[in-house]
Amino acid sequence: MTEDVLFADRWMNKNGSMRSTPLKKNRKISEIEFFMTENELQRIKKEKDPIRMLERPKEQMTVYRSDGTYITLETENGQVIIKDSTEKNSYRIVDADYFIHHIVRG
């Protein structure tokens, strides 16, 4: 994972914009800043194995309706992001456990 972060950091500026040429020398991983909200930090602290949650790849599923519209479900870092194609620039984020609980319960 360290190599992935250093590789990404070579192509990304500190403000998040992408560079057109890589850095000549990698930044120290300890100097890379991660911005998280207080809710995200508290959720990660409650995890039994927080590193496992961060190493999971992002997953995506699209559910198509008969009229051609669709809903996209993305999971990342223990959260589900729900996007509806009929509502542009709008999405809902819920905790994965909460989402699964309501799907299973019906």
Side-chain angles (χ1 to χ4, degrees):
M1 186 169 141
T2 302
E3 294 81 17
D4 294 338
V5 172
L6 289 174
F7 176 76
D9 187 52
R10 290 186 66 205
W11 289 95
M12 192 174 290
N13 291 318
K14 286 185 177 182
N15 67 2
S17 63
M18 298 302 290
R19 301 170 73 56
S20 56
T21 58
L23 293 172
K24 292 180 181 175
K25 194 169 130 184
N26 290 337
R27 292 187 188 109
K28 292 181 184 176
I29 193 167
S30 60
E31 294 175 359
I32 298 173
E33 294 182 42
F34 293 98
F35 298 99
M36 300 179 100
T37 64
E38 188 61 33
N39 279 351
E40 291 170 327
L41 286 173
Q42 293 305 319
R43 186 171 42 80
I44 289 172
K45 284 180 182 179
K46 291 177 184 176
E47 289 286 323
K48 293 177 185 173
D49 185 10
I51 293 297
R52 179 182 59 92
M53 187 176 84
L54 296 173
E55 290 176 343
R56 277 189 225 140
K58 180 178 178 178
E59 296 181 41
Q60 181 175 336
M61 179 175 73
T62 305
V63 180
Y64 294 93
R65 297 184 184 116
S66 58
D67 64 356
T69 60
Y70 57 90
I71 294 176
T72 304
L73 303 171
E74 296 178 11
T75 61
E76 188 173 21
N77 298 334
Q79 293 182 326
V80 177
I81 303 165
I82 306 165
K83 298 178 185 176
D84 190 336
S85 66
T86 61
E87 299 176 21
K88 299 291 183 199
N89 301 323
S90 177
Y91 58 91
R92 183 172 177 205
I93 300 174
V94 294
D95 186 61
D97 293 333
Y98 176 84
F99 180 79
I100 291 170
H101 175 73
H102 283 282
I103 293 294
V104 171
R105 231 172 129 211

